[in-house]
Amino acid sequence: METKTVISTENLTKRFGDFTAVNEITFDVKSGEIFGFLGANGAGKTTAMRMLCGLSNPTSGKANIAGFDVYRQTEKIKRNIGYMSQKFSLYEDLTILENIRFYGGIYGMDRKSIKAKSVELVEQLGLKEEATKLVRSLPLGWKQKLAFSVAIFHEPKIVFLDEPTGGVDPVTRRQFWDLIYAAAERGITVFVTTHYMDEAEYCNRISMMVDGYIKALDSPANLKKQFGASNMDEVFYQLARGAKRNL
Amino acid sequence: MKTLFFLLQKEFTQIFRDTVILRMIMAVPVVQLLILPLAADYEIKNINITVIDHDHSFFSRDLTSRIMASGYFRLSGFGQSFNEGFAQMETDKTDLVLEIPPSFEKDLVNGEKGKLFIAVNAINGTKANIGAVYLNRIIAQFNQNIRAEMAPAPKMAALPTIEITNLNWFNKYLDYPHFMVPGILVLLVTMVGALMCSLNIVKEKEIGTIEQINVTPIRKHHFILGKLIPFWVIGMFVFSVGLFLIARLVYGIVPQGSILLLYGFLSIYLVAVMGVGLIISTYANTQQQAMSLAFFFLMIFILMSGLFTPIDSMPEWAKWIARFNPVTWFIEVMRMIVLKGSGFHHIRLHFLVITGFAIFFNAWAILNYKKTS
């Protein structure tokens, strides 16, 4: 598979009044890459991600997602991406199958393929018994795995994950990352924010945001070399210590 | 189109799964229609009256018994002096004090003017006023009777009198529920449209699913239609339960005009009030905010709609508010079609106005609903 660029930004900026949440960030993400988007709380990760998803209009700068412009072609972008937010985004009062059917349906999949694919999916996730139970009754870890699977159910080019493993136990997190790897292998580009530094190690490349700027961008191995650190935790501390915004 | 179908399937599944809402949809129309028309009665009864009879004559006793026989009054006691009666009024034990002077019978027999004094407790203005009117009417009738008895017959025949005969149109027996039930039905569908619809959308904001919806390629108008159609159907259902089950079976109200015309108007009206609900949901971020906003508007809509107080007696500025209130128009249409049997040509203006409201509110809501901030 040729590695083409699926996300590219140039001086992308978002201001809220006097406050510059995201300050002229420039980066590229290649197709099939797992791109980690790191930074302390309030560094501007979520705002940047919302701009890339077409949820928030940039103040200035350029960005191109899956070949579409974030200013003029947000609806086309939305057709080609999946998104999983910090807030749990499935309907708790619908069953697993109903949630899958709904999200598959609004991405324009037909009923037949939704049905076939959802049977496959619940089997893969080991949720066959629970398929007709309300999502409300599932443990958090399962909910998160399900939410991720629903976000990539329509085979998007890129999936955006905003702190997908918050509050999930280490075993489930590991399983979650297995799902991410599987998705990347299928050619889905994964753009993920996280606070867990062990997860950062799983990424192909990571960027570190501090106070709205991207302060570092490279593979985990190169970053550790660059900062003379033995693990990603140290890299994070060195960069985030200089942050002026409240941690 | 296909997207809309998936949206509707999801909405209906959620609504039918929520037993609280489901029970509300079923119970609210029944309870409201059973309680309100019977309790919120305009007819003033049980007016407390204290009689201070200084005369203790045949005439004074006759007058008192006539007052009591009218059925509107409840005797809260006889007093010895006006001060005693006034003390009762001060403690809110009585609404009216009637004082009959010592020379009442003597004056009347001698052909002089008889004098009576009525004191009114105006704290509850409506009750006291209407009570005084009733009392005046009874006394006037009493006056007529004694004049007829005392005046010589030939002279009496020569006296010109004006006799008034009433004929009540459209509500022959002045049946109060006939007047109220159609109006309360309007309130019910307004609640369903404005309140339930806005709460439903804001709930998605609150739990965060709206953000997930906003990153999907769902079109704005599909999403909004997906929210409107279920509540439109529920509104129709609630209205039908009220009209056919309660109004007809319990109160015996059968619409005089065309049912089709009524539903035609209702279908546009529902779109208009759901537009209000949508506007609220685009401004509110939590269900609490939506609730407060919806209550604010519904209060004004309901109190300024002519349901409880006639619009004709409002000050000019208030009439303008009433005119910009969709509820006013539907209550008028309801009363016209149900009680009067009006046809389409009578309510053409109403159709035009409500269509205008529907377009205005929904356009505002759609413009204000943003998938991208």
Side-chain angles (χ1 to χ4, degrees), chain B residues 205-219:
Chain B
K205 275 194 188 178
E206 225 173 51
I207 57 178
T209 43
I210 192 118
E211 186 149 295
Q212 196 68 37
I213 296 284
N214 286 345
V215 288
T216 68
I218 292 183
R219 303 286 258 309

Side-chain angles (χ1 to χ4, degrees), chain A residues 50 54-57 75 78 83 87-89 91 93-94 98 101-103 105-108 111 134, chain B residues 2 5-7 9-10 13-14 17 204 206-207 209 211-218 371-373:
Chain A
R50 287 173 56 88
L55 281 174
S56 171
N57 280 321
E75 292 308 305
K78 285 170 184 174
Y83 174 73
K87 272 193 177 178
F88 182 64
S89 50
Y91 290 96
D93 51 354
L94 293 180
E98 283 165 350
R101 185 178 59 200
F102 173 65
Y103 280 112
I106 57 181
Y107 279 104
R111 271 175 199 274
L134 296 188
Chain B
K2 228 171 66 184
F5 192 81
F6 279 103
L7 277 165
Q9 188 177 30
K10 166 207 158 242
T13 314
Q14 285 181 305
R17 201 158 278 161
E204 295 228 13
E206 225 173 51
I207 57 178
T209 43
E211 186 149 295
Q212 196 68 37
I213 296 284
N214 286 345
V215 288
T216 68
I218 292 183
K371 282 183 77 178
T372 307
S373 59

Side-chain angles (χ1 to χ4, degrees), chain B residues 195 280 287-297:
Chain B
L195 194 61
I280 291 171
Q287 293 189 66
Q288 211 173 4
Q289 289 172 359
M291 197 75 152
S292 321
L293 264 173
F295 249 88
F296 171 75
F297 284 111

Side-chain angles (χ1 to χ4, degrees), chain B residues 228-248:
Chain B
L228 290 189
I229 292 171
F231 291 100
W232 188 86
V233 172
I234 292 171
M236 285 286 194
F237 175 78
V238 166
F239 185 86
S240 308
V241 169
L243 189 68
F244 292 109
L245 225 67
I246 311 292
R248 179 164 297 186

Side-chain angles (χ1 to χ4, degrees), chain A residues 20-37:
Chain A
T20 308
V22 175
N23 210 334
E24 305 204 335
I25 57 171
T26 304
F27 64 91
D28 288 332
V29 180
K30 299 265 180 283
S31 175
E33 203 175 6
I34 301 175
F35 189 84
F37 206 57

Side-chain angles (χ1 to χ4, degrees), chain A residues 5 12 24 44 46 80 89 93 134 179:
Chain A
T5 304
L12 195 66
E24 305 204 335
T46 301
N80 288 289
S89 50
D93 51 354
L134 296 188
L179 290 175

Side-chain angles (χ1 to χ4, degrees), chain A:
Chain A
M1 188 169 48
E2 61 160 332
T3 50
K4 55 177 187 184
T5 304
V6 287
I7 303 175
S8 87
T9 72
E10 209 184 310
N11 300 326
L12 195 66
T13 302
K14 177 82 183 185
R15 279 188 213 98
F16 299 103
D18 297 337
F19 177 71
T20 308
V22 175
N23 210 334
E24 305 204 335
I25 57 171
T26 304
F27 64 91
D28 288 332
V29 180
K30 299 265 180 283
S31 175
E33 203 175 6
I34 301 175
F35 189 84
F37 206 57
L38 276 59
N41 290 327
K45 292 175 305 218
T46 301
T47 310
M49 187 182 257
R50 287 173 56 88
M51 281 193 281
L52 301 180
C53 295
L55 281 174
S56 171
N57 280 321
T59 314
S60 64
K62 285 187 212 159
N64 194 290
I65 313 295
F68 301 106
D69 183 73
V70 283
Y71 291 97
R72 288 174 291 109
Q73 296 172 301
T74 48
E75 292 308 305
K76 287 205 172 108
I77 290 175
K78 285 170 184 174
R79 227 162 241 297
N80 288 289
I81 61 168
Y83 174 73
M84 181 183 164
S85 66
Q86 289 169 336
K87 272 193 177 178
F88 182 64
S89 50
L90 297 179
Y91 290 96
E92 303 235 336
D93 51 354
L94 293 180
T95 66
I96 293 177
L97 285 179
E98 283 165 350
N99 266 295
I100 297 174
R101 185 178 59 200
F102 173 65
Y103 280 112
I106 57 181
Y107 279 104
M109 293 172 69
D110 62 87
R111 271 175 199 274
K112 233 188 194 164
S113 52
I114 291 175
K115 212 167 193 179
K117 226 182 141 189
S118 46
V119 171
E120 211 176 290
L121 177 65
V122 290
E123 229 161 284
Q124 256 173 31
L125 291 174
L127 291 173
K128 209 175 167 189
E129 303 276 301
E130 283 79 15
T132 51
K133 282 190 188 154
L134 296 188
V135 166
R136 186 184 292 140
S137 64
L138 295 179
L140 180 69
W142 290 14
K143 281 183 189 170
Q144 297 298 76
K145 280 192 276 183
L146 181 65
F148 175 73
S149 306
V150 169
I152 58 166
F153 192 70
H154 60 290
E155 295 292 330
K157 291 206 177 90
I158 309 162
V159 62
F160 290 90
L161 310 172
D162 193 1
E163 288 174 30
T165 53
V168 172
D169 68 78
V171 176
T172 315
R173 254 169 60 202
R174 184 63 244 194
Q175 293 169 345
F176 194 90
W177 273 87
D178 288 341
L179 290 175
I180 292 181
Y181 276 124
E185 254 160 52
R186 293 214 303 271
I188 298 175
T189 308
V190 180
F191 186 99
V192 56
T193 73
T194 181
H195 282 305
Y196 298 108
M197 289 307 131
D198 57 326
E199 289 187 353
E201 306 258 10
Y202 302 149
C203 299
N204 299 126
R205 280 195 305 151
I206 51 178
S207 76
M208 287 284 284
M209 264 190 105
V210 180
D211 290 347
Y213 296 93
I214 290 187
K215 283 278 159 126
L217 199 166
D218 214 328
S219 67
N222 287 346
L223 279 178
K224 279 185 278 190
K225 219 182 287 169
Q226 188 188 331
F227 288 88
S230 58
N231 56 37
M232 282 308 298
D233 267 357
E234 280 178 37
V235 177
F236 185 85
Y237 282 128
Q238 285 192 33
L239 281 163
R241 214 166 351 191
K244 292 188 181 62
R245 285 183 200 161
N246 291 340
L247 291 179

